[in-house]
């Protein structure tokens, strides 16, 4: 009995303990709920009271004093908010093109070479090639080791997200290789090569695609003029234009500063953009030394030999100039603009780097056109501090200003001249004067020697360029003089 009593008493005690442990948490939970409910009701009452006083001020733009009218607005706050929401303008919704679904044949990496516009044209080519081969393109790497020594990455110049999304219905573009593929590349499982210049798209289909399928990743380490301009399928040409004129948009910072330069120019009237391609690198590369003194000729020659990838070393400057293969000098340019009756009061924006020979070579142009300006003279130094030592970003500013100019005049048919002229045609055939340098240097020499009067010279220049003002024209292949063996297209995207 004693054992049972003890057991019974122990069980009961245990039950009581358990019941006490259960009741106390329930009591705490009930108290928490009650306290929370009281606090919530108190807050609700306070917010309701405050809403009648402060709500109308928020909705009505915070008037300086409280009025009966604002109190009425507070009572009808819900209706007012609903009406205000309905009256707000709809924000534009960016509609992305649908992704193109295709079997990925591998990954294409590219390293562009050259200046901004040479790389721009190459990017257009690489997108078209990647689309044709059904591969994934990795965002191109920009040139950092050439004469310009610009450390800018793709995303420092172009809006990379817009570039990727705007082309998603054509080709898959990634900022970097997927991790598993990246590991293969780090282990050396990649094929590096420079493609053959001026190749037909069939070269990439028959020669490059099998390499991509074999190695999964192919790196093209040269991109300048690696896809022929002419006789390509129409879808290739259209995609090139779409990339150049739509997908390759500059960063918001560059676009904003470009708009600022254009606004300053517009405030002072019409302006002409002169792409005066008379920088040191151009003269050294081309071997054109017209108007240079002996020391300058020697300096340019040393520079040409310093760059092994500039293959042409011994150059006859006079012969090359007569063949129309040299950029016009500042002096020749001044005569040409005057002969074309360009108003001497118009603003002349120089879209170029530092002119070789400085003030001495620019004297004739400034005498004929006193309103010569540059981005450096229009903007404050603080505006350009982030662009210093970044030649491609500075060139991007010139590109934007060139697109918006009343007249665009390139003195050499290089990459910028071709790309900008094509873009201006795309924007509505804006006036672009394509100078016939071969004819012009002959006329200039005759005028300087006294063989032609000014009126005869001016008439001949105007007659020769009457149909060279950027009007609609069928794109054609132009044969170069015998000193050059390849053929080039007159303007990038001009036919589309």
């Amino acid at each position: 009995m004693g054992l049972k009593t003890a057991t019974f008493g122990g069980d009961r005690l245990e039950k009581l303990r358990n019941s006490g442990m259960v009741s106390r948490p329930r009591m705490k939970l009930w108290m928490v709920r009650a306290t929370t409910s009281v606090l919530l009701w108190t807050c609700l009452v306070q917010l309701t009271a405050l809403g009648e006083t402060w709500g109308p001020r928020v909705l009505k733009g915070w008037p300086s004093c409280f009025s009966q009218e604002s109190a009425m607005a507070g009572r009808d706050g819900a209706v007012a908010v609903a009406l205000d929401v309905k009256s707000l303008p709809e924000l534009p919704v960016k509609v992305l093109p649908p992704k193109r679904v295709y079997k990925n044949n591998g990954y294409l990496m590219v390293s562009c070479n050259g200046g901004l516009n040479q790389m721009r044209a190459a990017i257009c080519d690489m997108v078209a090639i990647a689309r044709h081969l059904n591969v994934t393109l990795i965002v191109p790497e920009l040139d950092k080791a050439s004469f310009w020594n610009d450390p800018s990455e793709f995303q420092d110049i172009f809006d990379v997200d817009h570039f990727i999304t705007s082309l998603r219905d054509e080709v898959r573009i990634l900022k970097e290789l997927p991790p598993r593929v990246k590991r293969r590349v780090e282990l050396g499982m990649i094929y590096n090569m420079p493609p053959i210049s001026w190749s037909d798209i069939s070269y990439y289909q028959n020669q490059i695609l099998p390499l991509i399928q074999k190695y999964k990743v192919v790196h093209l380490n040269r991109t300048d003029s690696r896809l022929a301009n002419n006789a390509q399928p129409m879808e290739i040409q259209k995609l090139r234009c779409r990339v150049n004129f739509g997908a390759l948009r500059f960063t918001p910072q560059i676009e904003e500063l470009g708009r600022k330069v254009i606004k300053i120019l517009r405030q002072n009237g019409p302006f002409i953009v002169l792409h005066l391609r008379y920088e040191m690198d151009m003269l050294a590369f081309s071997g054109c030394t017209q108007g240079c003194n002996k020391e300058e000729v020697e300096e340019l020659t040393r520079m040409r030999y310093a760059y092994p990838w500039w293959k042409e070393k011994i150059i006859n400057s006079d012969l090359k100039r007569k063949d129309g293969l040299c950029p016009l000098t500042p002096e020749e340019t001044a005569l040409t603009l005057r002969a074309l009756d360009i108003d001497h009061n118009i603003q002349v924006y120089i879209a170029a780097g530092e002119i070789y020979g400085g003030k001495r070579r620019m004297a004739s142009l400034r005498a004929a056109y006193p309103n010569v300006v540059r981005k450096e003279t229009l903007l404050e130094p603080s505006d350009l501090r982030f662009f210093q030592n970044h030649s491609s970003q500075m060139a991007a500013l010139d590109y934007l200003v060139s697109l918006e100019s009343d007249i665009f005049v390139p003195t050499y048919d290089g990459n910028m001249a071709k790309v900008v002229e094509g873009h201006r045609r795309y924007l509505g055939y804006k006036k672009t004067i394509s100078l016939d340098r071969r004819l012009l240097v002959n006329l200039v020499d005759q005028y300087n020697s006294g063989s032609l009067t000014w009126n005869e010279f001016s008439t001949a220049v105007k007659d020769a360029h009457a149909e060279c003002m950027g009007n609609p024209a069928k794109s054609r292949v132009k044969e170069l003089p015998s000193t050059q063996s390849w053929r080039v297209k007159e303007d990038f995207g001009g036919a589309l």
Side-chain angles (χ1 to χ4, degrees), residues 107-139:
Y107 297 87
L108 180 64
M109 301 178 67
V110 296
S111 295
C112 300
N113 58 291
L116 172 67
N117 293 290
Q118 179 171 304
M119 293 191 290
R120 185 184 184 107
I123 292 168
C124 299
D125 291 346
M126 295 301 115
V127 170
I129 291 168
R131 166 65 174 83
H132 188 79
L133 300 183
N134 285 333
V135 298
T136 296
L137 177 68
I138 306 303
V139 170

Side-chain angles (χ1 to χ4, degrees), residues 284 299-310 313:
E299 182 181 38
L300 294 172
T301 302
R302 286 195 300 271
M303 182 178 181
R304 183 164 63 254
Y305 276 88
Y307 290 90
W309 51 87
W310 291 357
K313 302 298 183 183

Side-chain angles (χ1 to χ4, degrees), residues 194-484:
I196 298 174
S197 298
W198 305 108
S199 295
D200 188 82
I201 193 63
S202 61
Y203 161 78
Y204 291 91
Q205 181 70 39
N206 299 329
Q207 302 293 326
I208 304 300
L209 180 58
L211 293 173
I212 296 176
Q213 292 172 327
K214 179 179 179 180
Y215 294 96
K216 302 303 179 186
V217 183
V218 166
H219 175 220
L220 303 182
N221 50 30
R222 302 283 293 183
T223 59
D224 55 314
S225 305
R226 303 295 156 156
L227 179 63
N229 285 328
N230 303 288
Q232 301 306 308
M234 185 55 66
E235 59 267 19
I236 294 290
Q237 306 291 49
K238 287 183 177 179
L239 183 53
R240 280 168 144 175
C241 290
R242 179 180 172 185
V243 177
N244 188 32
F245 307 145
L248 285 176
R249 188 168 68 189
F250 294 121
T251 63
Q253 294 81 3
I254 294 176
E255 295 268 354
E256 181 181 357
L257 194 56
R259 285 192 293 270
K260 183 174 182 178
V261 175
I262 294 165
K263 182 179 179 180
I264 294 172
L265 289 165
R266 285 281 175 228
Q267 288 173 345
N268 297 319
F271 67 96
I272 178 176
V273 166
L274 184 62
H275 181 43
L276 190 59
R277 194 70 171 94
Y278 208 75
E279 302 101 328
M280 185 179 183
D281 66 294
M282 181 70 238
L283 301 182
F285 172 77
S286 64
C288 298
T289 57
Q290 177 72 13
C292 296
N293 57 41
K294 182 179 178 181
E295 290 76 17
E296 290 171 337
V297 172
E298 291 175 351
E299 182 181 38
L300 294 172
T301 302
R302 286 195 300 271
M303 182 178 181
R304 183 164 63 254
Y305 276 88
Y307 290 90
W309 51 87
W310 291 357
K311 297 180 181 180
E312 196 176 9
K313 302 298 183 183
I314 302 175
I315 299 174
N316 186 323
S317 177
D318 292 334
L319 179 61
K320 201 165 187 179
R321 175 176 175 268
K322 289 179 180 179
D323 278 341
L325 299 176
C326 286
L328 293 182
T329 66
E331 297 86 356
E332 293 166 345
T333 302
L335 287 173
T336 301
L337 295 180
R338 287 178 55 207
L340 290 169
D341 290 337
I342 302 296
D343 185 359
H344 74 283
N345 290 317
I346 197 171
Q347 298 173 96
V348 179
Y349 178 93
I350 304 297
E354 183 179 353
I355 302 303
Y356 191 65
K359 293 181 179 179
R360 176 178 67 85
R361 299 306 302 270
M362 288 293 290
S364 297
L365 183 62
R366 289 186 179 277
Y369 294 91
N371 294 322
V372 172
V373 296
R374 304 173 60 94
K375 52 187 172 292
E376 293 86 353
T377 62
L378 295 174
L379 297 171
E380 298 294 332
S382 57
D383 292 325
L384 291 170
R385 68 180 183 274
F386 296 114
F387 293 80
Q388 296 297 334
N389 301 320
H390 293 81
S391 60
S392 291
Q393 295 183 44
M394 297 285 265
L397 289 176
D398 286 341
Y399 187 98
L400 291 171
V401 178
S402 298
L403 289 184
E404 296 299 321
S405 63
D406 296 285
I407 307 173
F408 176 65
V409 183
T411 61
Y412 185 73
D413 58 352
N415 293 292
M416 179 171 177
K418 294 173 184 175
V419 177
V420 170
E421 182 180 357
H423 205 154
R424 286 173 65 86
R425 289 181 182 233
Y426 173 80
L427 294 174
Y429 297 100
K430 294 185 174 184
K431 189 172 183 178
T432 301
I433 303 177
S434 301
L435 299 176
D436 186 337
R437 297 188 307 281
R438 189 176 188 181
L439 173 69
L440 281 173
V441 295
N442 181 42
L443 291 175
V444 167
D445 289 346
Q446 291 184 61
Y447 171 70
N448 287 334
S449 67
S451 300
L452 291 177
T453 66
W454 175 256
N455 287 337
E456 291 172 334
F457 171 72
S458 180
T459 300
V461 171
K462 286 196 283 279
D463 289 345
H465 295 89
E467 301 299 324
C468 301
M469 300 291 177
N471 299 323
K474 186 176 181 180
S475 181
R476 63 187 177 86
V477 178
K478 180 174 67 174
E479 292 287 350
L480 291 178
S482 57
T483 52
Q484 303 287 346

Side-chain angles (χ1 to χ4, degrees), residues 21-245:
M21 291 178 65
V22 172
S23 62
R24 280 196 296 270
R26 286 179 179 174
M27 180 63 71
K28 289 181 181 179
L29 181 60
W30 182 86
M31 291 295 292
V32 169
R33 288 176 176 174
T35 304
T36 304
S37 300
V38 171
L39 287 174
L40 286 175
W41 276 106
T42 303
C43 291
L44 181 60
V45 171
Q46 293 294 328
L47 287 174
T48 303
L50 288 173
E52 292 181 358
T53 301
W54 295 100
R57 297 192 181 186
V58 176
L59 295 174
K60 293 296 182 180
W62 293 88
S64 58
C65 60
F66 179 76
S67 65
Q68 184 66 26
E69 182 181 341
S70 62
M72 292 292 293
R75 285 193 290 271
D76 298 333
V79 177
V81 170
L83 292 175
D84 285 346
V85 170
K86 289 182 179 179
S87 63
L88 287 175
E90 292 186 7
L91 295 175
V93 178
K94 184 177 180 181
V95 179
L96 298 178
K99 284 186 179 181
R100 175 171 169 258
V101 180
Y102 59 94
K103 180 184 177 182
N104 181 33
N105 287 321
Y107 297 87
L108 180 64
M109 301 178 67
V110 296
S111 295
C112 300
N113 58 291
L116 172 67
N117 293 290
Q118 179 171 304
M119 293 191 290
R120 185 184 184 107
I123 292 168
C124 299
D125 291 346
M126 295 301 115
V127 170
I129 291 168
R131 166 65 174 83
H132 188 79
L133 300 183
N134 285 333
V135 298
T136 296
L137 177 68
I138 306 303
V139 170
E141 178 187 20
L142 302 188
D143 190 345
K144 303 179 186 65
S146 65
F147 168 82
W148 297 275
N149 197 29
D150 187 339
S152 299
E153 301 287 353
F154 187 98
Q155 62 270 19
D156 297 325
I157 299 175
F158 300 108
D159 187 335
V160 64
D161 293 323
H162 174 75
F163 175 69
I164 293 172
T165 57
S166 64
L167 295 170
R168 56 186 275 169
D169 60 332
E170 293 284 0
V171 63
R172 184 186 182 211
I173 304 175
L174 300 178
K175 293 181 181 180
E176 60 181 4
L177 289 168
R180 60 179 182 82
V181 182
K182 193 174 183 179
R183 285 193 293 271
R184 289 170 54 92
V185 172
E186 291 169 351
L187 294 173
M189 302 174 69
I190 184 175
Y191 192 87
N192 294 280
M193 63 171 294
I196 298 174
S197 298
W198 305 108
S199 295
D200 188 82
I201 193 63
S202 61
Y203 161 78
Y204 291 91
Q205 181 70 39
N206 299 329
Q207 302 293 326
I208 304 300
L209 180 58
L211 293 173
I212 296 176
Q213 292 172 327
K214 179 179 179 180
Y215 294 96
K216 302 303 179 186
V217 183
V218 166
H219 175 220
L220 303 182
N221 50 30
R222 302 283 293 183
T223 59
D224 55 314
S225 305
R226 303 295 156 156
L227 179 63
N229 285 328
N230 303 288
Q232 301 306 308
M234 185 55 66
E235 59 267 19
I236 294 290
Q237 306 291 49
K238 287 183 177 179
L239 183 53
R240 280 168 144 175
C241 290
R242 179 180 172 185
V243 177
N244 188 32
F245 307 145

